[in-house]
Amino acid sequence: MALYTEVLLDQRPENGVIGAHLFKAVQKEIPAAGPGQILVKQTHMSLDPAMIGWMSPDTNSYIPRVELGQTMRSSGFGEIIESNHPDFSVGDNVMGMMGWTEYLVSNGQGLNKVQPGVDAETALAVFALPGLTATQGLYNIGKPKAGETIVVTGAAGSVGSIVGQLAKADGLRVIGIVGSDEKADWIVNELGFDGAINYKSDNLEQQLAELTPDGIDVFFENTGGPIQHHIFNRMNTFGRIAVCGMIADYTAETPALGPNWIRLITKRITVQGFAMPDHFGDVPALLGKLTPYVMQGKIQYRTHILSGLESAMTGLNLFLTGDNKGKLIVKL
Amino acid sequence: MALYTEVLLDQRPENGVIGAHLFKAVQKEIPAAGPGQILVKQTHMSLDPAMIGWMSPDTNSYIPRVELGQTMRSSGFGEIIESNHPDFSVGDNVMGMMGWTEYLVSNGQGLNKVQPGVDAETALAVFALPGLTATQGLYNIGKPKAGETIVVTGAAGSVGSIVGQLAKADGLRVIGIVGSDEKADWIVNELGFDGAINYKSDNLEQQLAELTPDGIDVFFENTGGPIQHHIFNRMNTFGRIAVCGMIADYTAETPALGPNWIRLITKRITVQGFAMPDHFGDVPALLGKLTPYVMQGKIQYRTHILSGLESAMTGLNLFLTGDNKGKLIVKL
């Protein structure tokens, strides 16, 4: 009898502390695929900042939170081991919401076959939540135009790095906000951003003014934090702000206040929050938009690989400390 | 030689103090209409909160501010006294941007003939800036649907009272925020709002919760101030916020901070600032939308009449104190 491991949410985080104490690993027998079902061996699991929201006690989260005792939710990449389903064959690679588990049985719903030649890392780092989120927010909210200036926070993150590269390919001036000099170096010298600011440095307002001499037309917000106010204060007339993440505030006892709204009027700015679960129906169109950029080699990424299912439990902390060095992927 | 009075902006307000010391009244000889021109005797002049922005030192204002030494800007209603213009006849009533003056000569640009039967007060209180602003913000940003709940701040004001009545006519639950019990009484018992809150009373959060049991779908913001946060915190999924005015903050040394943006994501809210000058090209369409409601008697208004051009100088303070009892109009 072969066993596999699955990880359940056991407690909700308090005071922003995330760690193994919140989870419970259980051993189960590897099931067989029933009629119309497939058995998937997950090989790579994606860790995303949104997970912290799914675990949190706040009932306002935008998709149903993970209940205590449920398998922790995540997207992943895996190989089909058994198939009784006409659309899937043994050996096919699939991706989709798999959860924190080494094996799963599925009727195929919500799982998509991965094109041969697309490896697990590219699939999870670009063609999954990060790339879809970047494409949705940048094009449908940010509405970028060549010659405009965009500022992206969390710019070395899985979403922000794609947003910046797409905007750069479209002829915008692209400034990224990051949390380390190493990340600043990477987005400027490897990804081709026009400038970067380490938000842990001094004189943020002045640095931003120097890097955005013509003001800011599009603001892609992944983090929150004090620099939000400086960026907001340089928004141009008819500016667009896509609010994608507020990681700096998710675990705060009292989230920091936002900018005063007068500038929304004087500059006629639109601020729009979004979340990918609303747009899963648009995935084919989003992939259609994103894929040519990837094929033309315009989207680079880097991954930060953790090993083994249990490493996910503490790995989520990397989003809070900013110590992740690329798309977080757990290799199972 | 007949003289008339014109009022120029002489100083910019400091520390939010508005009064006669900011203006300079000058006497001029009444001119004659030249070729292609008309001479208009302004009979009614509109005072609007936006004027405080036009006078302010802040160069971020959304339409060009009034320069020192220029005639103070305003819209008005008047009668044609002389005409050398093929489209206008002596005795026609016109409205448009006339400025703080008793007479003006114009080539007709920016002046529109008023339909016979529409009196000066209806013209300025409904078919001018207030009604156009209400219609633009409510329909193009608020996108109201029958059965939804809308909260309007400045609800007894010239814009807010129209927004609420339009929304009520469209089948929404309409709650207004006002600055006195008298105004609360007026919007509920005369205009038909479903509820009102005097923002100077206690337990704002609890009052709001009781009046909006299903949350808030549309927020039409005319004022700013602390209640903004309570309203924001009750916004429903896919809520729309039209930011039209922030009168509570215009003259503040340090404008109050706004709400944290996490809720923008969790509820996928859109916040959009707007200003009518961007939409003057849409006036025919806006009037086409607004007029049927007026014709069906669904839009009531009240006016607060001041007498004589000089009364405008101190009259603007009524916006800051909230003591205006309806659309402010100066009768010349």
Side-chain angles (χ1 to χ4, degrees):
Chain A
M1 188 176 91
L3 295 178
Y4 74 100
T5 304
E6 193 169 327
V7 174
L8 315 177
L9 183 63
D10 193 49
Q11 285 181 46
R12 302 201 180 279
E14 279 178 18
N15 306 318
V17 180
I18 292 181
H21 65 289
L22 303 180
F23 302 98
K24 189 171 150 188
V26 294
Q27 305 280 312
K28 294 188 180 175
E29 193 179 346
I30 298 175
Q37 291 184 327
I38 53 178
L39 173 66
V40 180
K41 179 182 194 312
Q42 185 170 214
T43 61
H44 296 77
M45 196 172 95
S46 176
L47 294 188
D48 295 281
M51 289 174 168
I52 296 168
W54 302 341
M55 293 162 60
S56 92
D58 177 14
T59 54
N60 276 330
S61 195
Y62 50 85
I63 63 169
R65 60 180 188 175
V66 178
E67 297 301 336
L68 297 182
Q70 280 187 341
T71 306
M72 183 61 198
R73 185 189 296 142
S74 59
S75 63
F77 180 100
E79 186 184 342
I80 296 184
I81 302 296
E82 290 178 26
S83 176
N84 297 320
H85 191 297
D87 298 341
F88 297 93
S89 306
V90 170
D92 282 351
N93 288 330
V94 290
M95 55 191 292
M97 299 310 282
M98 297 187 182
W100 290 23
T101 182
E102 292 170 332
Y103 285 85
L104 66 151
V105 157
S106 163
N107 63 6
Q109 208 178 355
L111 294 182
N112 295 298
K113 276 201 274 194
V114 178
Q115 223 180 312
V118 175
D119 61 59
E121 294 187 13
T122 305
L124 293 182
V126 181
F127 290 116
L129 216 47
L132 294 169
T133 304
T135 306
Q136 168 66 24
L138 178 63
Y139 291 106
N140 294 333
I141 299 176
K143 300 183 174 70
K145 296 180 201 74
E148 289 189 332
T149 297
I150 182 172
V151 174
V152 185
T153 56
S158 59
V159 173
S161 62
I162 297 178
V163 168
Q165 291 177 88
L166 290 170
K168 191 67 207 163
D170 286 350
L172 281 82
R173 178 172 177 80
V174 181
I175 306 301
I177 314 297
V178 294
S180 76
D181 292 343
E182 188 277 332
K183 288 179 179 177
D185 180 72
W186 180 61
I187 66 171
V188 171
N189 295 317
E190 300 293 324
L191 303 189
F193 280 47
D194 296 289
I197 298 173
N198 179 348
Y199 70 80
K200 293 172 181 165
S201 60
D202 295 328
N203 302 318
L204 294 179
E205 189 173 2
Q206 189 192 330
Q207 288 187 64
L208 189 67
E210 285 168 5
L211 287 173
T212 59
D214 299 325
I216 298 165
D217 303 291
V218 183
F219 172 14
F220 196 105
E221 171 63 291
N222 282 306
T223 62
I227 200 162
Q228 179 184 86
H229 293 258
H230 298 304
I231 300 170
F232 186 81
N233 289 338
R234 292 190 62 75
M235 291 300 295
N236 288 332
T237 304
F238 301 122
R240 291 83 66 195
I241 302 177
V243 189
C244 177
M246 292 283 294
I247 188 85
D249 290 327
Y250 285 154
T251 55
E253 277 284 312
T254 310
L257 290 172
N260 179 281
W261 287 2
I262 288 180
R263 195 178 185 87
L264 295 180
I265 304 174
T266 59
K267 297 294 180 180
R268 285 85 87 216
I269 294 165
T270 302
V271 190
Q272 191 171 347
F274 76 104
M276 266 313 293
D278 293 331
H279 307 284
F280 282 156
D282 307 322
V283 165
L286 294 171
L287 287 177
K289 179 81 187 169
L290 173 62
T291 302
Y293 292 90
V294 181
M295 294 299 128
Q296 290 160 33
K298 296 195 167 156
I299 306 297
Q300 299 177 55
Y301 64 89
R302 54 182 183 180
T303 52
H304 184 140
I305 307 289
L306 305 176
S307 288
L309 187 50
E310 278 83 356
S311 67
M313 301 183 192
T314 50
L316 288 175
N317 271 315
L318 295 168
F319 294 121
L320 301 177
T321 61
D323 287 332
N324 56 315
K325 302 266 187 294
K327 175 72 192 91
L328 267 181
I329 292 175
V330 178
K331 208 168 164 189
L332 302 181
Chain B
M1 188 176 92
L3 296 177
Y4 74 100
T5 303
E6 193 169 327
V7 175
L8 316 177
L9 183 63
D10 192 49
Q11 285 180 46
R12 302 201 179 280
E14 280 178 18
N15 306 320
V17 179
I18 291 181
H21 65 291
L22 303 180
F23 301 98
K24 190 171 149 187
V26 295
Q27 304 281 312
K28 294 187 180 176
E29 192 178 345
I30 297 176
Q37 292 185 326
I38 53 178
L39 173 66
V40 181
K41 180 183 194 310
Q42 185 170 212
T43 60
H44 297 76
M45 196 171 95
S46 174
L47 294 188
D48 294 281
M51 290 174 167
I52 296 167
W54 302 341
M55 296 162 59
S56 92
D58 177 14
T59 55
N60 276 330
S61 194
Y62 50 85
I63 64 167
R65 59 182 188 173
V66 178
E67 297 302 334
L68 297 182
Q70 281 187 342
T71 307
M72 182 60 198
R73 185 188 297 141
S74 58
S75 63
F77 180 100
E79 186 184 344
I80 296 183
I81 302 298
E82 290 177 26
S83 177
N84 296 320
H85 192 297
D87 297 342
F88 296 94
S89 307
V90 170
D92 282 352
N93 289 329
V94 289
M95 56 191 292
M97 298 311 282
M98 297 188 182
W100 289 24
T101 183
E102 291 170 335
Y103 285 84
L104 67 151
V105 157
S106 163
N107 64 6
Q109 209 178 354
L111 294 182
N112 295 298
K113 277 201 274 195
V114 178
Q115 224 180 313
V118 175
D119 60 58
E121 294 188 12
T122 306
L124 293 183
V126 182
F127 290 116
L129 216 47
L132 294 170
T133 304
T135 306
Q136 169 65 25
L138 178 63
Y139 291 106
N140 294 333
I141 299 175
K143 298 184 173 70
K145 295 181 202 75
E148 288 188 332
T149 296
I150 183 173
V151 173
V152 185
T153 56
S158 59
V159 174
S161 61
I162 297 177
V163 168
Q165 291 176 87
L166 290 170
K168 191 68 207 164
D170 286 349
L172 281 82
R173 177 171 179 81
V174 181
I175 307 300
I177 314 296
V178 294
S180 75
D181 291 344
E182 188 278 331
K183 289 178 179 177
D185 180 72
W186 180 61
I187 66 172
V188 171
N189 294 317
E190 300 294 323
L191 303 189
F193 281 47
D194 296 289
I197 297 174
N198 179 348
Y199 70 79
K200 294 172 181 165
S201 62
D202 296 329
N203 302 320
L204 294 179
E205 189 174 0
Q206 189 193 329
Q207 288 187 63
L208 189 67
E210 285 168 6
L211 287 173
T212 59
D214 299 326
I216 298 165
D217 303 291
V218 183
F219 172 15
F220 196 104
E221 171 63 292
N222 283 304
T223 63
I227 200 161
Q228 179 184 86
H229 293 258
H230 298 306
I231 299 169
F232 186 82
N233 288 338
R234 293 190 61 75
M235 291 300 296
N236 288 333
T237 303
F238 302 121
R240 290 85 65 195
I241 302 178
V243 188
C244 177
M246 291 284 294
I247 190 83
D249 289 329
Y250 284 155
T251 56
E253 278 284 312
T254 309
L257 291 172
N260 179 282
W261 287 2
I262 289 179
R263 195 179 184 89
L264 295 180
I265 304 174
T266 58
K267 297 294 180 181
R268 285 87 85 215
I269 293 166
T270 302
V271 190
Q272 190 170 347
F274 77 105
M276 265 314 290
D278 294 331
H279 306 285
F280 282 156
D282 307 322
V283 165
L286 294 171
L287 287 176
K289 180 82 186 169
L290 173 62
T291 302
Y293 292 90
V294 181
M295 294 299 128
Q296 290 160 32
K298 296 197 166 152
I299 306 299
Q300 300 178 53
Y301 64 90
R302 57 182 182 181
T303 53
H304 183 141
I305 307 289
L306 305 175
S307 287
L309 188 50
E310 279 83 355
S311 67
M313 302 182 192
T314 47
L316 288 176
N317 271 316
L318 295 169
F319 294 122
L320 301 177
T321 60
D323 287 331
N324 57 314
K325 303 264 186 294
K327 175 74 191 87
L328 266 181
I329 291 175
V330 177
K331 206 168 167 192
L332 302 182

